[in-house]
Amino acid sequence: MYPAELVKPMREDLASAGFEELYTAETVEKAINQEGTTLVVVNSVCGCAAANARPAAKLSLQNDKRPEHLVTVFAGVDTEAVDAARNLMVPFPPSSPSMALFKNGELVHMIERHHIEGRPAEMIAENLTEAYNEFC
């Protein structure tokens, strides 16, 4: 588990953009299963989260259509919440960072770590906005 002071700025990066931090399985299940669209970002301490995933998630929110609910869980810190989110992302294997779009509790779009590593934030944001345009 990572120390709180290490992950604090990484948490704040998404929280300042309107993402609600989730810490328990119950809050994850409630957030994902609510009516409407929910973007879940599995945050991470890795470099690709800082350089690609978090900037892409924030950039994607500039789209006219966007998810109604924005939530995040932190891999390596919020184990219960991350496990609950990943259970709802099956059949995709666990990866962090990652992003999943749910509509009325159903997984409709997934971006895994291998879609994030080595790709610019703008390309990832474009992938997300295409999903928003289709599902939001």
Side-chain angles (χ1 to χ4, degrees), residues 19-136:
F19 284 81
E20 178 186 358
E21 296 179 67
L22 305 178
Y23 304 101
T24 67
E26 181 182 340
T27 58
V28 167
E29 290 167 12
K30 183 177 179 182
I32 290 174
N33 288 310
Q34 64 189 319
E35 189 173 317
T37 51
T38 303
L39 178 64
V40 180
V41 175
V42 179
N43 203 350
S44 172
V45 298
C46 72
C48 64
N52 310 81
R54 290 191 298 269
K58 293 185 298 184
L59 184 61
S60 74
L61 300 178
Q62 296 175 11
N63 194 48
D64 290 335
K65 289 185 174 183
R66 52 181 273 182
E68 296 162 89
H69 313 285
L70 307 170
V71 300
T72 182
V73 296
F74 208 107
V77 180
D78 306 321
T79 306
E80 179 185 338
V82 172
D83 288 348
R86 287 178 172 162
N87 285 338
L88 296 169
M89 295 174 188
V90 170
F92 296 94
S95 68
S96 56
S98 61
M99 298 177 230
L101 182 65
F102 291 85
K103 184 170 186 173
N104 301 325
E106 178 186 345
L107 179 62
V108 294
H109 189 74
M110 183 74 187
I111 298 179
E112 299 173 84
R113 180 186 177 104
H114 69 89
H115 297 123
I116 295 170
E117 287 180 307
R119 289 180 173 77
E122 296 79 11
M123 181 183 287
I124 301 162
E126 183 178 326
N127 181 305
L128 285 170
T129 59
E130 288 173 7
Y132 301 165
N133 289 339
E134 182 176 349
F135 298 107
C136 297

